[in-house]
Amino acid sequence: MGKTKNNKFKRPSFSPDGLPATPVKQTGDESEDEDSPAAELLDKLQSPSADVREYACASISRVVQQSQTIPGFLQRDAVRKIGPLLLDRSLAVRETAAGALRNLSACGGPEVCEDMVRQDALTPLSALLRECCTGFDMSSSPTMKGQKRTVEDVANEAVNLLWNLCESSSTAVSVFNKAGLLDVLLHCLQRHPQNMELAISAAHCMHTVTEENEELVRNVNAAVFGVLENILSSTHTSMEYTLLRTLAAGSLWNLKSGLSSAQQSQTLTALTTTLSHSLSLDAGELIPELWHAESARLSKETTSATESDHTDARPAGHEAEEMEEDVRDEKMNGRKPNERMSKPKNDISDLLPRDRLELREAKALLSAQQTSLEIIVNMCCSDEPSDDEWEEMSSSDESEVCADGMSDTNSSLFSPLCLSAELHTILLNHSIPQQILKKAEFPSAAALELCSKYPTWKCLLKKMHRVQCRALTCLHNILSSMDTESLDGASGLQAVAQHLSSLVFSSAEALKDEEFLEAVTSALRSLLQIMATKNIPQCMTPHQLMIFCEAATSCELVSVRVNALAILGITGSSLSKEKNTADTLQLIGSALLNIAVKDSNLVVCGEALDALFDVFADGDEAEKAGKNMNLLSSLKALQPGFRAKVCLKPTINITTDTNNLIYHIHTPEQ
């Protein structure tokens, strides 16, 4: 069987959900329309009245959520006109200016972010952040008197803007390093006793900028590790603190190479303890409890005007917060901009005002669990080989690579493809595999029903789904690194396989969800491969297998189709060793042949052939099925079509050796 590359959560090019896949054009009718909102609002930025400037920035924050308006702002040099307002005399103007640029960066895509960096948006932003840090302990400063906003409100918008730019632009990360902005984030992190919202924003940003940032790691000092470790050791039990600790753990993982070997071991234990605590929380129980707590509290409110005042107090610049979360999720999935499109979110009725404490806690809990699973995924595929190395290994059997789940070297905590013995033990001691299995289950029916019923809590449905998908991806990564007994032996593996199969066939909607299908098929493929190497009986019936194959191979995602074919190959190979399975093998073989002929993707065709030869490699039942379906003749007949799909016109030689089918694809040198 061919290799499967463990998924790793990276941050590829930024592209918000629902926005065009192509760069935002700076030409068009918008630029010629002098009555456009861009022209009017940008003119108001020059007003001597702070209220007018604030109004203009807040309006721009809302308008740029309509992607078609962005070119008009870019053509009129919006970034250079809004940038100086980051240092305006009015804190309200500073905050709304940061919010306008934040939304522009979130809704404009990577090209806009790069353009913002080129236009030097980071210079005033850096100055603003440093001024904010200086002002954190100066609440009685004259600049604060009479202001509705606080320095920390401004800092929160600025940090979110910095986060967007660094997540979307490698140039921004380079500027971040040279400007020494890590100290700014540390200041914001240390405000968690006074302002958790700011601290979490800073933690998110730090988690982003520390990822694969060797220049930053070289300059990290003990003070940085001290701040992060102090957060990890905090004992607060709120969900927001759980999220903060989880993000700090992610940053520590990213910076681990800056620690000595002894420190690495100690930090790894503390880090895993944090992740384990996050995953041990039962969102299915906690979400209904939080909803009831919110209902009881809000029922004591005497007037609806009080709630309205709280809602209106939400600072401008938050309008794209939900969109940003969707965008970051798409990026961590590694999806291309045009793979999943929906209308941009412009209805801000379900955004979270600061009085929705319980809902904020629920969101923080799910974000913490999602982040924990992403960190574990990256822990399990650290130092992954390059694409060329994967290609070289693709001809060897998966069972040859760390079949016992252990690394053969103790020179480092982390080695390619497999967990080190130490990390393996730490994960087991913290019951991480079992917690991942629990998160792979659907959220509780009670939580789903509640969130579906109440509009303001409906945003949690997508978050619960994300946690499940991350857990399935995580399960895929850890399976090859865990020995059988750590997953409760053969019976435990069979139970997991039955569960994953039930997830696939749980509903018609599940078979249409590409993200879910990719996660669950990857996990099921890894599990079935392990079961095959251990001679543990498979769990899917022939009927289920064919329904699954038909649904999965019609999916647009190549990875899902490849996983489905691999599952067919693994299952068929196992069945070929059993009695009275020729009919089922013939059914599987016909399906694989059909896909090898008809699928337009060469990788999928190759996987179909790979699976086909695994199924019919050996065994009396395989030989019987192969003869019944004239397999050899069918394989020779597909050569012309397969050859036409390969631009270099390789030759496929198919020969027989007793019961074994052998195929070779020869590609001439260019």
Side-chain angles (χ1 to χ4, degrees), residues 28 91 103 122 221 292 353 359 381 390 406 478 480 559:
L91 283 182
N103 285 6
L122 281 169
N221 53 36
H292 286 298
L359 182 52
C381 59
W390 275 104
M406 295 292 185
I478 69 167
S480 61
S559 59

Side-chain angles (χ1 to χ4, degrees), residues 18 60 110 116 153 251 341 395 400 540 550 556 614 621:
I60 291 171
M116 292 174 72
D153 290 331
S251 295
M341 302 290 287
S395 60
E400 296 174 4
M540 297 179 72
E550 183 179 354
E556 292 185 2
D614 282 339
E621 294 295 316

Side-chain angles (χ1 to χ4, degrees), residues 458-490:
K458 192 168 288 188
C459 61
L460 299 185
L461 291 172
K462 183 181 292 186
K463 292 183 174 297
M464 287 188 281
H465 174 75
R466 288 174 183 169
V467 170
Q468 183 194 28
C469 286
R470 294 296 187 272
L472 289 168
T473 301
C474 200
L475 182 61
H476 160 65
N477 279 22
I478 69 167
L479 280 171
S480 61
S481 304
M482 294 292 171
D483 54 53
T484 306
E485 295 309 314
S486 67
L487 294 169
D488 299 327

